[in-house]
Amino acid sequence: FAEMEAGAGIGLYPLHRCKNIYLVRHAQGIHNVDGDKNYKAYMSHDYFDAELTQLGWQQVDNLRKHVRSSGLHKKIELVISSPLMRTMQTAVGVFGGDGYTDMSDVLPLMVANAGNSNRAAISSSNCPPIITEESCREHLVCHFSLLHTWVCIHAIREEASATISFFSLQLTFHWQIESDEDILWKADVRETIEELAARGKKFLNWLWTRKEKEIAIVTHSGFLFHTLNALQNECHPDVKKEICSHFANCELRSMVIVDRSMLGSDVSVTDYPGKIPKYLPSDAVVEDNNIKG
């Protein structure tokens, strides 16, 4: 009882105020190879929008097999990716469709050999929608902006959402572009850990505006680590370690997020009110039968 009173024991929460999320760190990018040896290499402009390595693509294949063998591919209703190449390639490679052919009536999610990947085209059929969301991008540093992304999108459309070809990937960029500048990025200021964690919380709150209950998010190590660290205060110490340890490349963790602040407005589709049917009194039924007789 003491554990339960302290919030460390078993608890209950309405199912319709929960979502299952599947957090994925992108597979190995070319920046990880040098960055794991010398952290300063991550500051190189050459690695800002790094593509996956061949090992990274092997990691994608392994996770794709797991997603299918575990049945997750049948449950996930939406895939959200950071708008950087390594996350988009991972999202498409893991969750994209099978068996694309040039005779298909739909565009591929990724064309053959995109980004010198030496990979076959990936189909957009029989897979969940894949969208990009800028608020789950990596830790913002003063060296690099997403300006080239903005320019690419502005050249194609003016609306808040569209499906476009971006680095040979067909993805939906849903965010509202308010200017020709990267409004999250500051040229001379590095995003603080507190700002990153706040951005992560805002992203999770945004998930409650989505109708989907089973969502995969493909993002970055720093974003995951600092966001999860900001949310683990009420957990048992062992659960904190499980939640907040750094993600390996292409690691997937399944978690549940709970709407404690009542942000969501959905009602349960599985609950039943249990109302008792209204029957006539027994004497009225007898009297009615006598009349009919």
Side-chain angles (χ1 to χ4, degrees):
F1 289 108
E3 276 191 350
M4 295 187 72
E5 289 176 0
I10 295 172
L12 296 173
Y13 214 76
L15 178 62
H16 69 283
R17 298 203 175 276
C18 303
K19 289 182 188 285
N20 292 329
I21 59 173
Y22 307 94
L23 302 176
V24 180
R25 181 191 174 192
H26 63 79
Q28 185 193 64
I30 58 175
H31 65 309
N32 294 133
V33 177
D34 288 340
D36 289 348
K37 300 174 185 175
N38 179 7
Y39 189 79
K40 291 182 179 180
Y42 284 119
M43 296 298 101
S44 170
H45 192 276
D46 294 336
Y47 293 146
F48 162 61
D49 202 13
E51 299 173 350
L52 297 187
T53 64
Q54 289 304 310
L55 174 59
W57 280 111
Q58 292 175 26
Q59 293 171 337
V60 166
D61 289 340
N62 290 337
L63 180 54
R64 182 183 181 88
K65 291 176 183 176
H66 168 74
V67 165
R68 277 152 180 74
S69 65
S70 65
L72 280 180
H73 70 297
K74 296 179 180 179
K75 296 176 59 178
I76 292 173
E77 304 168 74
L78 176 71
V79 178
I80 300 171
S81 171
S82 158
L84 289 171
M85 176 55 66
R86 53 194 180 271
T87 46
M88 292 192 295
Q89 286 180 321
T90 302
V92 168
V94 172
F95 300 104
D98 291 316
Y100 178 80
T101 65
D102 292 335
M103 301 299 293
S104 175
D105 292 333
V106 297
L107 292 172
L109 279 174
M110 186 179 81
V111 300
N113 198 36
N116 298 316
S117 62
N118 196 30
R119 308 284 295 188
I122 297 175
S123 175
S124 59
S125 298
N126 300 316
C127 67
I130 302 177
I131 69 172
T132 61
E133 166 55 37
E134 65 167 332
S135 62
C136 67
R137 63 199 256 201
E138 183 56 297
H139 201 155
L140 300 173
V141 297
C142 51
H143 303 290
F144 313 128
S145 167
L146 277 183
L147 180 59
H148 66 284
T149 305
W150 264 246
V151 171
C152 175
I153 297 173
H154 262 297
I156 296 173
R157 54 85 168 149
E158 296 293 336
E159 305 200 9
S161 64
T163 300
I164 67 172
S165 176
F166 182 59
F167 286 106
S168 301
L169 297 171
Q170 295 287 336
L171 297 176
T172 297
F173 290 77
H174 89 277
W175 67 77
Q176 177 68 47
I177 296 178
E178 298 176 351
S179 71
D180 290 328
E181 300 180 355
D182 183 347
I183 59 176
L184 291 182
W185 173 79
K186 297 179 177 62
D188 55 351
V189 179
R190 178 184 176 88
E191 185 179 36
T192 66
I193 291 175
E194 292 75 19
E195 289 171 336
L196 175 55
R199 177 159 60 86
K201 289 182 178 180
K202 185 177 180 180
F203 168 76
L204 292 177
N205 286 339
W206 170 77
L207 289 182
W208 288 107
T209 69
R210 306 287 316 187
K211 66 181 184 300
E212 299 87 0
K213 296 293 187 181
E214 306 272 346
I215 303 175
I217 298 106
V218 185
T219 181
H220 306 266
S221 175
F223 177 85
L224 288 167
F225 180 76
H226 294 300
T227 299
L228 294 177
N229 263 280
L231 297 172
Q232 47 77 36
N233 292 333
E234 298 180 8
C235 298
H236 186 279
D238 289 342
V239 175
K240 289 181 182 180
K241 294 178 183 178
E242 186 176 348
I243 291 176
C244 299
S245 60
H246 281 282
F247 278 63
N249 283 123
C250 225
E251 180 179 355
L252 179 151
R253 296 182 197 169
S254 304
M255 299 189 186
V256 176
I257 55 174
V258 176
D259 180 17
R260 289 198 180 102
S261 59
M262 306 290 282
L263 289 171
S265 59
D266 290 346
V267 296
S268 173
V269 296
T270 56
D271 289 358
Y272 180 72
K275 293 180 179 178
I276 300 174
K278 294 181 179 179
Y279 295 105
L280 290 172
S282 57
D283 55 346
V285 174
V286 171
E287 181 180 349
D288 184 56
N289 286 337
N290 291 332
I291 294 173
K292 290 180 179 178

